[in-house]
Structures are given as structure tokens and as C-alpha cells.
Amino acid sequence: MKIKALTAIAALVAAPVAFAGGADDDKLVVNGEIEMVTKAKAPAHMENVDEVISGWHFRTDETQALQMDDFENQGMIFADQGLDAWNTVAGTEDKSCASCHGAPEDSMVGVRAVYPKWNDDAGEVRTMAMQINACRTENMGAEPLKYTSGAMANMEALIAMQSRGLPVNVAIDGPVAETWEKGKELYYTRTGQLELSCASCHEENYGNYIRADHLSQGQINGFPTYRLKNAKLNTVHARFKGCVRDTRAETFKPGGPEFIALELYVASRGNGLSVEGPSVRN
Amino acid sequence: MASGVKPRVKVPKKASAGEAITIKTLISHKMESGQRKDKSGNKIPRSIINRFTAEFNGQSVLDVTLEPAISTNPYFQFDATVPEAGDFKFTWYDDDGSVYEDSKSVAVS
């Protein structure tokens, strides 16, 4: 009798978990060799979350499997195209990325993990996309890539994949502190007719359903992300724009100062997770 | 020729004779269905991969007709029995007449 009652209670307790679709306990190993840290103790600066969790845990087993093998990860097609662009001479200086940086698997290891970061010469916080464009305009004499374009996403994917498995480690102090505070303020500011902040969904409600989908923590360690819904790579700022739009607000401009600050702050919330880009999500 | 087309194939390098091995193929292609219209209302002409074949030592293993409803970057995975060492040859046929090829060798131990 007692056992029966306990079982009934256990079933009641277990049921909501099954329906909530929260983070699962699967293990992410890519190609059977790159072991990813997808759950980690939250960085000290995060006040309301104890554990940071990669968006990978909130996806179905089928979607998760796509990211576990580079051949099935369609983001790799775009990283391949990024490699073609890497080796292509562009601009007035007759240089390609490879002219200075050689092979990306040698020169770009660890790069994704520390961006956005402070650039002393320019005196500004730079995202990786800004750095790519600075390189193109200043060193190659080439046209900058459009901030959220396919060409930019391809290049970001190529650079990100060299850091896969390394922990995100974005600095939040020193010269970037002011920008970081601004990003934090944006994260907690409600926008739009729906009056939602980033935190409303990604901090208070991750694991719950929204629009027939699981809310993740909104981590950006897997960007650029191949999304099944649009069959292409998506950049961080394009995703920010989509999220702000979904609150029914006028969005900030991709590549603008607000999203740069927000990217720095959100990236720092993933400190300790592995770089996963290009990841696969729905 | 459609731009950015690149075939990719994954075949185990070694197999034992008579073993069924899993082959994965993918070709990056936009697979324009011919049903869509551009901004000014003109029909975007169909441009798809319409046939995919796999051969082993000259013998046909797989011959697939692709239709416009197949999504971008078509992916095929299939099992094939390898009776002896040899070469797989994969061929994709584009609507515009282009033919893309790739081949992989399998050693038998």
C-alpha cells in the first residue's frame, strides 16, 4: 500500500518533467573525439542561475545527433565555403586571409572562445565579425562583409570550428566593463508590446515550452548555428534581432553598439561551456 | 552551373568481404523547385539535381530520381555489400547538364 502510494507520487512528480522538456542528460561528443562541456557551473557574475546549459540539451535526440557527426552537420557545408573564401584573394592588397594567417586550423585555435574582446589599437570592444571586417578593410583593402550575411556566417563558422571543445572565456573586466554593464542592462530590460526581456524567457523559463518549442538558456556558444527551419547558418546578431522582434519591438541594428554590448554580456554568461559552432538547432 | 555545388561522400576505408557498409553522401545544392517567384513576380526557373547514381567497380548499386520537392543539400545514406576491394563512383546530374562526380576506394581485409 505504502509502496503503491509512493509510486503514484513518483509518477505525479515525474510527469511534469517529461512534459516540460527541460535539459536532458545526454553527452555531446563530436565525431567520437571532441568532448564538449555542455553543462557547467554558472560564472560568478550570474546571480539567478546556478548551472549554465548548452542549447544542445534542449533539442530532440534526432537534432542532437546531427551535431555529433560532422558529415551530418550541415553547418559544415558552410564552413567549407568559408574555407574557400579564406583562400580567395580579395581587395587591392592582393591578399587572402591565408596570406597572413596561413591555415585556420593552426592560426585560429581559441579565437572564437574569447570574442567579443577589447581591441587596444581601435579602442573599442570588437566582436569576431567586426574583427573579420577590420581585417578585410584595413589589411586586404577589400569590401567589408555584410554583418549578418551568409559570407560572414561562413567565415565565422570556419573560425569557430577551430575552437570546438575549448571553453568559452570572455573577459568582463578592465576596458570592456562598461560595455558589459550596458549589455547586462539590455538583457534585463523589457521591450516591445509583449514586455519581455531576454531574462523573461531565457533565465526564468528555460526548459518550458514557448510556441511549441523548448526555451533554452539562450547561450551563444554554438553560433553560428545551422537551423533546420531555414536551412542556413544564423549569426548571433540575426538571432538577437529575431528575438527582439518576437517581443514586438523595433529591434536594434545588427552590428550596432547595443547588440555588441549584448553579445559580450550573453557570451560571458556561457563562460565555461565549450565552443560548439557551427552547431545544429531547430 | 549552379554556384557552390560541392559533393561530399563518407565511405569506410576498409571492410571485410561481403560486409554491408554504410555510405553517406551529400551534395550542396540550392534545389530551386521552380514553384517560387522572385520579388517582381517572375517564376524562378527550376534548378535541381535530378538524378543520383552510385556504382561499385562499374556495377550499378543505386540509381535515384530526384523530384523538385526534395529540399536543399540532398543527403543520401544507404548500405551496400562489398564483395571485393574496389572503387565506389558517385554521380550527380544537374538540370543544367552539369555532372558532378566523386569516388572512394574500399580495401577488403
Side-chain angles (χ1 to χ4, degrees):
Chain A
M1 189 62 198
K2 211 173 186 185
I3 291 169
K4 232 179 198 172
L6 277 177
T7 318
I9 291 166
L12 279 174
V13 173
V17 175
F19 289 113
D24 63 14
D25 291 321
D26 295 345
K27 184 100 191 74
L28 175 55
V29 180
V30 175
N31 299 333
E33 54 182 39
I34 310 173
E35 289 192 19
M36 300 280 191
V37 177
T38 48
K39 287 184 182 179
K41 195 173 172 296
H45 66 77
M46 283 171 75
E47 292 146 15
N48 310 320
V49 176
D50 297 327
E51 187 181 40
V52 288
I53 307 168
S54 162
W56 183 81
H57 282 292
F58 296 91
R59 304 280 61 101
T60 60
D61 287 348
E62 294 83 356
T63 308
Q64 289 183 336
L66 293 175
Q67 200 186 318
M68 297 173 81
D69 179 356
D70 280 356
F71 195 86
E72 315 223 349
N73 180 346
Q74 299 220 17
M76 288 300 158
I77 297 172
F78 297 92
D80 263 5
Q81 292 173 6
L83 184 60
D84 291 342
W86 177 274
N87 291 318
T88 304
V89 172
T92 53
E93 301 297 314
D94 212 24
K95 282 186 194 168
S96 68
C97 305
S99 311
C100 297
H101 296 291
E105 53 269 35
D106 300 327
S107 60
M108 292 294 134
V109 176
V111 171
R112 170 73 272 183
V114 296
Y115 271 91
K117 70 169 186 180
W118 182 255
N119 183 302
D120 246 343
D121 297 334
E124 63 181 6
V125 175
R126 273 193 183 165
T127 63
M128 209 167 72
M130 290 163 76
Q131 186 56 45
I132 291 168
N133 271 341
C135 227
R136 286 182 64 86
T137 52
E138 290 161 24
N139 302 332
M140 294 165 71
E143 289 291 314
L145 303 174
K146 203 166 157 278
Y147 202 89
T148 57
S149 63
M152 178 61 86
N154 294 352
M155 191 57 77
E156 287 183 329
L158 175 71
I159 296 171
M161 68 178 280
Q162 316 304 336
S163 305
R164 282 192 300 173
L166 299 175
V168 176
N169 185 18
V170 174
I172 63 170
D173 50 3
V176 305
E178 194 187 334
T179 311
W180 184 83
E181 286 293 345
K182 196 176 143 196
K184 184 176 180 183
E185 195 187 325
L186 276 168
Y187 191 89
Y188 287 102
T189 304
R190 290 173 182 267
T191 62
Q193 290 177 321
L194 298 183
E195 291 190 273
L196 294 169
S197 70
C198 306
S200 309
C201 291
H202 296 293
E203 187 167 282
E204 292 162 25
N205 280 298
Y206 65 84
N208 291 336
Y209 273 104
I210 188 171
R211 304 198 304 179
D213 195 4
H214 298 157
L215 275 170
S216 72
Q217 284 189 347
Q219 296 289 354
I220 56 172
N221 59 317
F223 274 84
T225 290
Y226 180 85
R227 294 191 71 188
L228 303 175
K229 68 173 275 188
N230 58 13
K232 70 181 182 76
L233 281 182
N234 296 265
T235 61
V236 172
H237 287 208
R239 185 54 253 168
F240 283 170
K241 185 181 163 187
C243 250
V244 177
R245 180 204 59 211
D246 290 346
T247 71
R248 301 190 193 159
E250 291 284 340
T251 76
F252 300 110
K253 191 170 165 287
E258 296 86 2
F259 277 168
I260 292 166
L262 187 59
E263 180 177 345
L264 173 64
Y265 177 68
V266 176
S268 78
R269 290 174 69 96
N271 275 355
L273 294 174
S274 295
V275 174
E276 285 178 36
S279 62
V280 183
R281 304 284 188 261
N282 47 332
Chain B
M1 182 179 134
S3 61
V5 180
K6 191 170 179 183
R8 293 144 58 100
V9 179
K10 191 174 182 181
V11 179
K13 289 192 176 68
K14 273 188 279 181
S16 45
E19 185 190 350
I21 57 170
T22 300
I23 295 167
K24 296 173 178 179
T25 77
L26 188 153
I27 186 161
S28 49
H29 194 283
K30 62 184 187 315
M31 296 293 278
E32 186 61 56
S33 70
Q35 305 285 343
R36 301 197 304 162
K37 288 173 179 171
D38 64 16
K39 280 188 183 123
S40 39
N42 303 315
K43 211 169 175 183
I44 305 170
R46 179 182 125 158
S47 169
I48 66 167
I49 300 280
N50 57 44
R51 185 178 172 215
F52 166 68
T53 63
E55 286 175 15
F56 184 70
N57 288 347
Q59 190 191 347
S60 173
V61 176
L62 192 73
D63 195 334
V64 184
T65 305
L66 284 78
E67 303 292 347
I70 292 175
S71 65
T72 186
N73 304 334
Y75 170 91
F76 287 104
Q77 176 180 326
F78 56 95
D79 288 353
T81 311
V82 278
E84 64 210 11
D87 301 320
F88 274 102
K89 188 177 159 213
F90 306 94
T91 317
W92 293 261
Y93 299 84
D94 197 313
D95 270 354
D96 63 14
S98 306
V99 174
Y100 316 101
E101 286 180 1
D102 200 350
S103 61
K104 292 277 183 229
S105 301
V106 183
V108 166
S109 53

